[in-house]
Every structure is written in C-alpha cells, then in structure tokens.
Amino acid sequence: MSSGLYLYGIFPDPIPETVALQGLDSQLVYSQVIDGFTFLYSEAQQEKYLASRRNLISHEKVLEQAMHAGFRTLLPLRFGLVVKNWETVVTQLLQPYKAQLRKLFQKLAGRREVSVKIFWDSKAELQAMMDSHQDLKQKRDQMEGKALSMEEVIQIGQLIESNLLSRKESIIQAFFDELKPLADEVIESDPMTEDMIYNAAFLIPWENESIFSQQVEAIDHKFGERLRIRYNNFTAPYTFAQIS
C-alpha cells in the first residue's frame, strides 16, 4: 500500500518514459509535470525512511542516472521527502518558492557541482613541522622530564599549534588560489573528520571538468605523499541548490 509520494528532485524539462529508473523499495520512478516543473517520484512504501547507506545510495542513484541520461540541470530534494499528494507540493513548495526555483535553474544550467576534500596525517605533519623548526623542537625536548608551570605548558602548546595551523593554511590556500578561478562559485564547509583539513564544493561549467580535475591532480602532486584527496566529479548539486 502506498504511503504517498517519495520525491527525488525537480527538473526544468519533461523526462520521457523511455528513461527507466528504479528508486527506493525497488519502485519504478515516474515524472510529474506541474506548472513547468518536472518532479521525479516513486510510490512511497513507508511513511518515513531510515537514512541507511542503502537508501541514501538509492536516492542518489535516481538523480545520477537522470543526469547520465542527459538531464543535467536539476534541483535535488533532500533524502526522505514524502508527501501525501501533489496538492501538498503546490501549496508548500511551488506557490511560495516558484520564483526562487526558476532562478536556481538559471544558475545551474550548464554547470555541475564537484567537491574536493583534503586529508592529512596530523601526527606526520606534527613531526615534519618539528623537524623544520629545530628551535621549537629543542625547546620542547628541553622541557621533557621537567616540572613545568601552567604558563610554560600553554606557551609551548600555542607555539606548536600556531605553526601547525600555518602549515594547514598554506595547503588550503594553494588549492583555493588555483581552483577558484576555474569555478563560478565556491562553498566551503566544515571538515567532517579530524584528519580532514579542507572541504569545499565548486560550481563549474560542465565542459570544464577535465581541466578542473587535472588542476586538482597538479596541486596534489606538488605536495607529494603529504595529502589524500577525495575528488567527486559527478554529483547532484545539493550544495548550490539551496533556497534562501
């Protein structure tokens, strides 16, 4: 029994039935055109969906397959969005936000979102920083085994933290300076783990992705084995499809 409509995303153009997609709960995905907006949806089999890895991947795959089929301009909807009927969509989404949705389509037309996440080994970086600052290393070594005052502990800690932060910022600045000119817009987000030092999404022209990826590889090469780069070049534009 259907629990309503599960929504995946909104497109500016109709999507023909020949684009066969399968969504959550192995349900067929259909399209519904309302006032010039095309919604991808399937019959919801649950009132609420658990954000499991399997479900999240199924949600993402629907949008990615539509993009692969040539429907590259889209506004992805958040995972787990279930509505009772199309009237709900009209009254709660289209009527209050129609103008903003159209502006987002204009912004995203011919563009794609790519993301860059940078990781480093904090322990290795700390050791490398000490090796390159012998005065700081000597000061730290001289304090080992001694009873230190709180002021001395704070002072050496601040010096180490400051120098480590400087190393981190130099890496981030190198990526930002060389990638920003290739993007129409950049949105930086907080790191997701302790070893992640940079997390950013870039909105770039579709045809420029190969140039962008080559630049990411070139910068990564400059830093040798210091970094691990996670580059995602094909994803629905969640970061840039936000209604303000």
Side-chain angles (χ1 to χ4, degrees), residues 188-202:
E188 298 174 328
S189 302
D190 293 334
M192 302 165 64
T193 65
E194 183 177 349
D195 286 341
M196 183 187 294
I197 63 172
Y198 190 56
N199 180 17
F202 299 80

Side-chain angles (χ1 to χ4, degrees), residues 62-195:
V62 169
L63 299 175
E64 290 177 3
Q65 289 178 343
M67 293 166 67
H68 277 299
F71 300 90
R72 295 174 171 178
T73 302
L74 73 151
L75 303 178
L77 295 171
R78 63 175 174 80
F79 170 82
L81 181 57
V82 177
V83 297
K84 288 296 182 182
N85 49 50
W86 294 114
E87 182 62 27
T88 303
V89 173
V90 172
T91 57
Q92 297 186 15
L93 181 59
L94 292 185
Q95 288 181 352
Y97 299 110
K98 183 186 299 184
Q100 294 183 53
L101 293 174
R102 294 197 188 281
K103 286 182 179 179
L104 284 174
F105 279 139
Q106 293 175 359
K107 169 185 172 180
L108 296 174
R111 295 170 178 83
R112 67 197 296 170
E113 176 177 329
V114 297
S115 65
V116 176
K117 294 177 173 60
I118 306 173
F119 302 81
W120 74 355
D121 185 330
S122 56
K123 292 182 179 179
E125 285 295 323
L126 176 60
Q127 185 60 52
M129 184 269 290
M130 285 297 187
D131 292 341
S132 63
H133 291 79
Q134 288 298 316
D135 56 336
L136 182 59
K137 184 176 185 296
Q138 185 177 12
K139 183 180 294 187
R140 184 197 64 174
D141 293 344
Q142 288 174 347
M143 290 183 172
E144 290 184 357
K146 294 183 179 180
L148 303 178
S149 67
M150 182 59 68
E151 183 178 349
E152 289 174 319
V153 172
I154 293 174
Q155 182 184 38
I156 188 66
Q158 288 177 335
L159 285 171
I160 292 173
E161 183 178 357
S162 175
N163 281 276
L164 199 59
L165 179 61
S166 179
R167 291 173 70 88
K168 180 186 298 185
E169 289 177 343
S170 68
I171 295 172
I172 294 172
Q173 197 64 47
F175 277 85
F176 184 83
D177 288 347
E178 297 196 42
L179 296 179
K180 172 121 183 6
L182 302 178
D184 295 320
E185 188 176 341
V186 182
I187 294 180
E188 298 174 328
S189 302
D190 293 334
M192 302 165 64
T193 65
E194 183 177 349
D195 286 341

